[in-house]
């Protein structure tokens, strides 16, 4: 048995240049197009040029037959460090922590991390049927198609196990819609009331329309670079206090009631030097509200099964006492494929660098971002999280 | 409560017949073993064969998820478990399910370890102890369905279960050969299973045969003119009845003892091929397209094509060597028919029968298959939704040996001792 060693901190490395494209319901453009759009925006906002990018990290489902390699030639990048992150909703913090080590160790000076996908009229259905081998063999043939079935089942279990009602989930969805109304890139433009939430069209019991994200096209990007370079160039930036990542945790659980965060939060907060109570805002992965509740529990905000009660007396909006998914999250901004794994992180960078504009949380200094991805069969396999701290 | 199946009304010729759609047929090659075992209605999972492991895997893997060994062995295992979560699908990205909503699915925690996602019978509810069955769906691939532990009243009428079976209830059957000594037993068992009509094909109606009066006496049986060796006869009947056949049972058979050298000429061999091989081809060319077009046609949709084959289609029985060869050809053709029918969802069922209790097998020692046993097993297989059925002790014995080693079986069947 080999004991894990204490990890090095991310001293001297910062994250900067958050970029988000507007999201579109359907697009005739390709993933390459969307990725280029976010990348250009990010690089430009830092006052850099493409030739300054010597590290490149990509997350996307719809690049086929290309990978990050094909993109270098397509986009004319000449990186000396290249990564492809197939972690879906967990890809943001995972891309960040890899890039941070590359910069820290000198393998690259500026890493551009980008996630994006297109959404053609029939691409979502096609993507679902070939998503993973286990999904193809053992979940897709059962009717719901894609993650709706898995999340319906675990939402059903969660509700009965912990006595949670649909209104509890509704609180999350309604507050995120409020936040999305401040985000001009979001696809959802109309307010959502609790009544409308509860009256949402049935999808797969107990999941209804407003529990589900809308697949869209879009892209998100950020840069990871040396702190001295960011300071010298006057680029707004944030420190990386801690990150974690875990895959296929708790495989022995008969149905997913917790994610890999639970295995690693002591290390997360240990490295950051503070607990969950010290963060100013939280960005969770929110493809369905039940998974938001699991993150609240597994990230230590409350005990297992207590999330509904925890949020009951909290205001989750931008101006509330517990700002959560401040750009509207995927539930209201849309799920742009793998960019759904970046949306919370990119928004968190804006928040702690004070550049969030209309969604800015007052005095936001510390943000916790968590990712959850890849419903490989019956549960999400990848989990990740990162704590960012602004420079005062 | 199961909603009792309603006898379908007469078809309205003005209404467009629903075009068949299928659930997803994509599977990994490892998962095809689930389909192979579903064909016989078995519930098998991979178990790690490492002595200190024994971990049960699901979904199908190529290496053990506990110890990384590649020694995964498919084994019959307990299919019992607890239904821990359920959902009712109201809308789906898949057309097949979209047309059949609401559709129930669930998570069953098996007592042997893994959790599985499965279809649900209407009689099971969350928290119930259930048993899973492994069956082929309309795409011809394996799926799991949770049934109650105790058989429910009208259990077979459940819509989701009926999608996986070929239950003859309220369906119309064509039996191709009235002269086969099994025709009466088949018709009788099918009528008892609740079919709407049984058409029985009769060649050369002027030539008498023992069971004719008995067949005619059965309420619901209609004798129709059909000679599987005559292309125009087959086409004529298909023209008249093609749109009314929901299950076709090809029991036409020509059998004589003998192999190659004892016969002296090929005339019996040609008769065997005419009936056993070309007969199937003629029937398929005439009836299969209409059946394929009606596979999503409600309660009495076209659902199965049954070939009654000899188990010696798998390995030669030299005493009936030429007959065996014609059945090997028919068996191969049935596989081709399966491939051609898979896009329609109509199942091609092969019944592998041991030596039957009839005049041509008279000198053979027992065990032989009586017509009543064949008929009972065939109907049971349709109700259970099987694709491969082995009838009689000899057929089951040959199956086991064939699965173990076709070559060892050949050595056994062709040894001096066997002759
Ligand atoms: Zn093992």
């Amino acid at each position: 048995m080999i004991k894990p060693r204490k990890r090095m901190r991310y001293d001297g490395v910062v994250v900067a240049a958050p970029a988000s494209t507007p999201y579109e319901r359907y697009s005739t453009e390709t993933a390459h197009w969307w990725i280029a759009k976010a990348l250009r925006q990010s690089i430009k906002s830092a006052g850099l040029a493409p030739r300054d990018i010597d590290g490149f990290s990509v997350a996307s489902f719809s690049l086929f037959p290309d990978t990050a390699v094909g993109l270098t030639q397509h986009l004319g990048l000449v990186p000396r460090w290249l990564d492809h992150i197939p972690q879906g909703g967990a890809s943001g913090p995972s891309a960040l922590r890899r890039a941070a080590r590359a910069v820290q160790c000198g393998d690259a000076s500026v890493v551009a991390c980008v996630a994006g996908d297109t959404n053609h009229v029939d691409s979502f259905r096609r993507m679902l049927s070939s998503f993973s081998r286990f999904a193809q063999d053992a979940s897709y043939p059962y009717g719901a198609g894609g993650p709706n079935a898995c999340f319906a089942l675990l939402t059903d279990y969660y509700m009965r196990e912990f006595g949670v009602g649909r209104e509890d989930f509704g609180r999350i969805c309604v507050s995120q819609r409020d936040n999305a109304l401040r985000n001009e890139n979001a696809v959802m433009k109309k307010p959502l009331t609790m009544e409308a939430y509860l009256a949402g069209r049935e999808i797969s019991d107990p999941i209804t329309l407003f529990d589900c994200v809308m697949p869209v096209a879009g892209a998100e990007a950020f840069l990871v670079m040396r702190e001295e370079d960011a300071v010298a160039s006057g680029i707004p930036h944030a420190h990386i206090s801690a990150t974690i990542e875990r895959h296929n945790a708790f495989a022995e659980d008969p149905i997913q009631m917790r994610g890999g965060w639970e295995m690693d939060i002591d290390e997360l907060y240990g490295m950051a030097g503070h607990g969950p109570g010290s963060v100013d805002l939280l960005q969770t992965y929110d493809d369905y509200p039940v998974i938001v509740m699991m993150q609240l529990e597994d990230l230590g905000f409350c005990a297992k099964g207590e999330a509904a009660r925890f949020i009951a007396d909290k205001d989750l909006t931008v101006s509330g006492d517990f700002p959560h998914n401040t750009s509207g999250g995927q539930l209201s901004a849309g799920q742009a494929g793998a960019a759904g794994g970046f949306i919370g992180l990119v928004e968190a960078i804006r928040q702690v660098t004070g550049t969030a504009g209309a969604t800015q949380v007052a005095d936001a200094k510390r943000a916790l971002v968590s990712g959850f991805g890849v419903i490989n069969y019956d549960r999400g396999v990848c989990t990740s999280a990162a704590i960012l701290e602004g420079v005062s | 409560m199961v909603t009792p199946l309603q006898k379908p009304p007469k078809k309205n010729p003005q209404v467009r017949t629903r075009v068949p759609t299928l659930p997803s047929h994509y599977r990994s090659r490892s998962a095809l073993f689930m389909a192979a075992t579903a064909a016989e209605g078995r519930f098998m999972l991979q178990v790690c064969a490492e002595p200190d492991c024994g971990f049960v895997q699901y979904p199908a893997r190529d290496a053990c998820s506990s110890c990384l060994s590649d020694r995964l062995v498919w084994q019959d295992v307990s299919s019992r478990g607890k239904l821990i979560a359920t959902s009712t699908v109201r809308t789906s990205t898949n057309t097949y399910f979209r047309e059949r909503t609401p559709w129930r699915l669930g998570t069953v925690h098996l007592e042997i370890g893994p959790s599985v996602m499965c279809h649900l019978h209407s009689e099971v509810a969350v928290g119930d102890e259930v048993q899973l069955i492994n069956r082929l769906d309309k795409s011809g691939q394996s799926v799991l369905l949770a049934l109650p532990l105790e058989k429910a009243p009208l259990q077979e009428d459940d819509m989701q279960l009926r999608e996986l079976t070929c239950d003859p209830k309220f369906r119309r059957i064509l039996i191709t050969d009235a002269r086969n000594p099994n025709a009466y037993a088949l018709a009788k068992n099918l009528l008892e299973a609740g079919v709407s009509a049984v058409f029985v094909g009769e060649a050369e109606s002027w030539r008498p045969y023992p069971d004719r009066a008995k067949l005619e006496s059965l309420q619901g049986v209609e004798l129709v003119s059909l000679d599987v060796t005559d292309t125009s006869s087959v086409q004529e009947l298909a023209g008249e009845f093609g749109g009314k056949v929901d299950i076709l049972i090809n029991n036409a058979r020509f059998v004589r003892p003998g192999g190659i050298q004892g016969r002296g000429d090929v005339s019996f061999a040609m008769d065997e091929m005419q009936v056993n091989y070309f007969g199937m081809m003629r029937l398929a060319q005439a009836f299969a397209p209409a059946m394929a077009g009606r596979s999503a046609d409600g309660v009495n949709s076209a659902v199965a094509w049954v070939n009654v084959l000899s188990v010696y289609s798998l390995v030669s029985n030299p005493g009936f060597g030429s007959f065996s060869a014609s059945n090997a050809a028919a068996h191969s053709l049935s596989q081709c028919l399966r491939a051609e029918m898979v896009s329609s969802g109509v199942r091609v069922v092969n019944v592998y029968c041991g030596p039957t209790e009839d005049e041509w097998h008279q000198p053979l020692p027992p065990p032989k298959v009586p017509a009543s046993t064949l008929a009972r097993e065939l109907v049971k297989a349709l109700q259970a939704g099987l694709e491969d059925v082995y009838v009689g002790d000899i057929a089951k014995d040959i199956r086991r040996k064939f699965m173990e080693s076709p070559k060892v079986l050949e050595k056994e069947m062709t040894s001096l001792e066997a002759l």
Side-chain angles (χ1 to χ4, degrees):
Chain A
M1 184 75 183
I2 296 165
K3 275 182 130 179
R5 279 171 59 181
K6 197 167 168 350
R7 288 185 302 150
M8 281 175 64
R9 294 171 44 81
Y10 298 99
D11 293 336
V13 187
V14 296
V15 58
S20 306
T21 69
Y23 286 179
E24 280 176 20
R25 178 71 179 102
Y26 290 114
S27 171
T28 53
E29 305 295 350
T30 61
H32 307 64
W33 186 92
W34 284 100
I35 283 170
K37 198 173 169 74
L39 193 59
R40 186 164 196 264
Q41 189 186 324
S42 172
I43 294 171
K44 218 174 153 189
S45 77
L48 301 176
R51 65 176 175 277
D52 296 318
I53 304 303
D54 63 351
F56 188 39
S57 169
V58 179
S60 179
F61 291 112
S62 54
L63 274 177
F64 186 83
D66 284 351
T67 65
V69 176
L71 269 186
T72 63
Q73 192 169 33
H74 196 117
L75 303 178
L77 301 173
V78 194
R80 57 182 174 136
W81 182 93
L82 185 66
D83 204 358
H84 193 119
I85 315 270
Q87 295 182 24
S91 59
S94 292
L96 170 67
R97 66 204 304 268
R98 284 162 174 66
R101 292 303 185 205
V103 169
Q104 192 174 35
C105 300
D107 290 346
S109 300
V110 182
V111 179
C113 299
V114 59
D117 272 295
T118 188
N119 188 41
H120 299 155
V121 171
D122 198 34
S123 61
F124 187 64
R125 189 185 65 82
R126 284 165 184 277
M127 194 267 286
L128 293 179
S129 60
S130 58
F131 186 74
S132 69
R133 180 170 141 179
F134 283 0
Q136 165 201 295
D137 283 354
S139 74
Y140 194 69
Y142 292 93
N148 279 350
C150 310
F151 278 94
L153 291 167
L154 65 89
T155 302
D156 173 63
Y157 187 89
Y158 186 95
M159 287 172 79
R160 273 180 295 99
E161 187 75 7
F162 301 121
V164 172
R166 292 201 50 231
E167 297 83 351
D168 298 312
F169 296 125
R171 248 172 231 119
I172 291 167
C173 302
V174 167
S175 66
Q176 287 193 200
R177 183 62 61 87
D178 279 359
N179 293 343
L181 298 179
R182 299 165 178 255
N183 171 11
E184 60 181 16
N185 284 352
V187 289
M188 300 298 182
K189 307 283 186 199
K190 280 190 266 178
L192 178 69
T193 63
M194 181 61 86
E195 291 67 40
Y197 168 83
L198 292 172
R201 182 161 59 84
E202 293 174 310
I203 302 290
S204 189
D205 302 352
I207 282 178
T208 60
L209 185 64
F210 298 107
D211 295 315
C212 303
V213 296
M214 183 174 280
V216 298
E220 305 270 341
F222 59 84
L223 302 181
V224 177
M225 58 203 300
R226 284 191 294 265
E227 183 169 21
E228 62 195 71
D229 294 339
V231 170
S233 305
I235 302 167
H237 57 272
H239 291 131
I240 306 157
S241 307
T243 70
I244 52 170
E245 173 181 340
R246 183 67 65 173
H247 306 282
N248 194 36
F250 309 122
E252 67 281 9
D253 289 357
I255 191 165
Q256 187 163 41
M257 280 301 104
R258 54 183 171 164
W261 308 284
E262 193 189 298
M263 290 179 78
D264 301 300
I265 52 164
D266 289 347
E267 206 192 339
L268 178 76
Y269 295 123
M271 194 171 182
H274 60 76
S278 301
V279 301
D280 301 313
L281 63 118
L282 173 65
Q283 310 282 2
T284 63
Y285 189 80
D286 63 332
D287 54 352
Y288 299 85
V290 69
I291 200 66
V292 172
M293 292 204 181
M294 269 186 228
Q295 284 163 92
L296 289 168
E297 294 157 0
D298 297 346
L299 291 168
F301 288 92
C302 58
K304 184 50 65 185
E306 293 294 322
R309 276 170 286 279
F310 176 77
I311 60 166
D313 55 358
K314 296 231 168 7
D315 179 349
L316 306 182
T317 61
V318 167
S319 54
D321 58 346
F322 193 82
H324 171 249
N325 289 357
T326 48
S327 65
Q330 300 177 84
L331 283 169
S332 279
Q335 179 177 60
F342 268 49
I343 183 174
L345 178 55
V346 170
E347 170 71 3
I349 302 168
R350 280 192 289 262
Q351 289 287 348
V352 298
T353 53
T355 58
T359 62
Q360 184 67 52
V361 171
D363 304 323
K365 190 166 182 291
R366 285 185 184 138
L368 171 54
V369 184
S370 82
F372 176 74
V374 189
I375 314 302
N376 192 58
Y377 162 45
D378 62 341
R379 61 192 73 195
V381 170
C382 310
T383 52
S384 62
I387 297 174
L388 305 184
E389 186 159 341
V391 182
S392 41
Chain B
M1 273 293 288
V2 181
T3 310
L5 208 59
Q6 299 298 315
K7 202 178 162 110
K10 228 176 147 56
K11 192 173 167 72
N12 178 353
Q14 304 291 327
V15 177
R16 179 168 183 259
T17 303
R18 187 159 77 174
V19 175
T21 54
L22 299 179
S24 173
H25 65 278
Y26 296 104
R27 297 292 190 282
S28 66
R29 193 164 195 282
S30 297
L32 294 186
F33 206 97
M34 297 283 295
T37 54
E40 295 185 48
R42 297 170 77 182
F43 187 83
M44 298 174 88
L45 294 180
Q46 290 169 307
V47 180
C48 179
E50 296 296 337
D52 54 349
C53 184
F55 198 78
V56 182
Q57 329 277 326
Y58 186 84
R61 285 180 166 84
D62 303 334
C64 175
S65 59
S66 181
C67 76
L68 295 179
S69 168
D70 64 354
R71 293 176 59 201
L72 299 180
V73 181
W74 289 92
Q75 284 181 19
D76 289 293
V77 292
S78 162
S79 67
R80 287 179 64 148
K82 187 176 179 184
L83 181 58
I84 58 172
T86 67
S87 179
T88 302
V89 176
R90 308 288 175 176
T91 181
S92 175
T93 53
N94 179 293
T95 314
Y96 172 87
F97 291 106
R98 189 177 277 262
E99 290 171 344
R100 287 162 179 78
T101 54
W103 187 277
R104 292 177 74 227
L105 58 92
T107 299
V108 169
H109 186 203
L110 291 170
E111 63 182 13
I112 49 165
S115 281
V116 305
M117 207 178 283
C118 60
H119 298 310
L120 300 182
H121 188 276
S122 51
E123 282 290 306
V124 299
V126 74
D128 284 0
E129 295 291 327
V130 297
Q131 55 180 326
L132 291 180
I133 55 169
N134 175 28
R135 289 293 184 275
L136 301 172
D137 69 8
K138 291 287 184 196
S139 77
Q141 292 297 349
S142 149
V143 289
L144 305 174
L145 177 135
L147 289 177
L149 288 186
E150 302 262 319
K151 194 168 188 285
L154 294 175
Q155 175 163 302
E156 67 281 2
D157 282 8
D158 175 79
M159 189 272 282
Q160 291 188 218
L161 176 59
R162 196 170 157 95
E163 281 293 299
L164 306 183
T165 67
C166 302
D167 197 326
K169 189 173 184 178
F170 294 147
R171 288 192 161 108
R172 297 154 299 181
I173 321 294
L174 172 64
I175 299 171
T176 58
D177 186 6
R179 282 174 201 280
N180 191 312
N182 61 29
Y184 172 74
L186 280 171
K188 190 164 172 292
N189 277 265
L190 286 161
L191 288 165
E192 284 164 10
V195 300
S196 306
V198 183
F199 313 116
V200 189
E202 184 185 55
E204 302 172 334
S205 55
W206 45 270
R207 203 158 52 85
Y209 55 98
D211 285 346
R212 187 167 211 263
K214 273 167 73 186
L215 266 174
E216 277 190 306
S217 73
L218 289 174
Q219 186 77 33
V221 166
E222 184 181 341
L223 288 169
V224 293
S225 176
L226 175 63
D227 180 350
V228 302
T229 66
D230 176 355
T231 303
S232 57
S233 160
V234 175
Q235 285 175 345
E236 231 166 83
L237 186 72
E240 196 177 340
F241 282 85
K244 293 189 227 170
V245 175
D246 307 322
I247 297 175
L248 186 150
I249 299 175
N250 182 19
N251 69 332
R253 154 153 115 163
F254 187 95
V255 54
R256 293 292 183 277
I260 303 166
Q261 298 173 62
R263 280 188 175 173
D265 64 28
V266 296
S267 61
F268 276 160
M270 283 169 68
D271 287 336
E272 282 159 345
M273 291 300 281
Q274 271 301 340
V275 176
N276 304 340
Y277 174 74
F278 288 112
M280 187 196 292
M281 191 181 278
R282 286 188 194 93
L283 287 164
Q285 286 170 346
F287 283 90
M291 289 178 73
R294 283 190 49 256
S295 65
D297 197 15
V299 168
N300 57 352
S301 56
V303 69
W305 178 292
V306 185
N307 298 306
V308 181
L309 298 170
S310 164
V311 75
Y312 297 116
S313 58
L314 300 177
V315 61
S316 177
N317 174 11
F320 287 78
S322 176
F323 171 72
S324 298
S326 70
N327 267 269
H331 181 236
S332 179
L333 193 68
S334 75
Q335 292 173 327
C336 176
L337 184 60
R338 265 184 190 152
E340 292 184 11
M341 295 300 264
V342 76
S343 61
S344 73
V346 172
R347 185 166 304 160
V348 175
V349 179
N350 280 341
V351 178
Y352 302 92
C353 197
T356 44
E357 198 79 77
D358 57 42
E359 57 178 323
W360 301 111
H361 294 93
Q362 173 263 324
L364 262 59
K368 287 184 275 188
V369 179
S372 56
T373 303
L374 169 69
R376 194 175 60 241
E377 297 284 315
L378 189 153
V379 171
K380 260 171 56 186
L382 289 171
Q383 289 166 332
L386 309 186
E387 182 176 81
D388 290 337
V389 196
Y390 297 83
V391 180
D393 293 333
I394 288 183
K396 290 185 169 75
D397 188 56
I398 298 271
R399 178 207 157 275
R400 196 162 44 244
K401 290 170 174 172
F402 182 80
M403 298 290 179
E404 274 167 18
S405 166
K407 186 65 187 178
V408 172
L409 176 60
E410 180 202 293
K411 281 290 169 204
E412 185 181 356
M413 294 297 297
T414 59
S415 69
L416 270 172
E417 203 178 334
L419 293 168

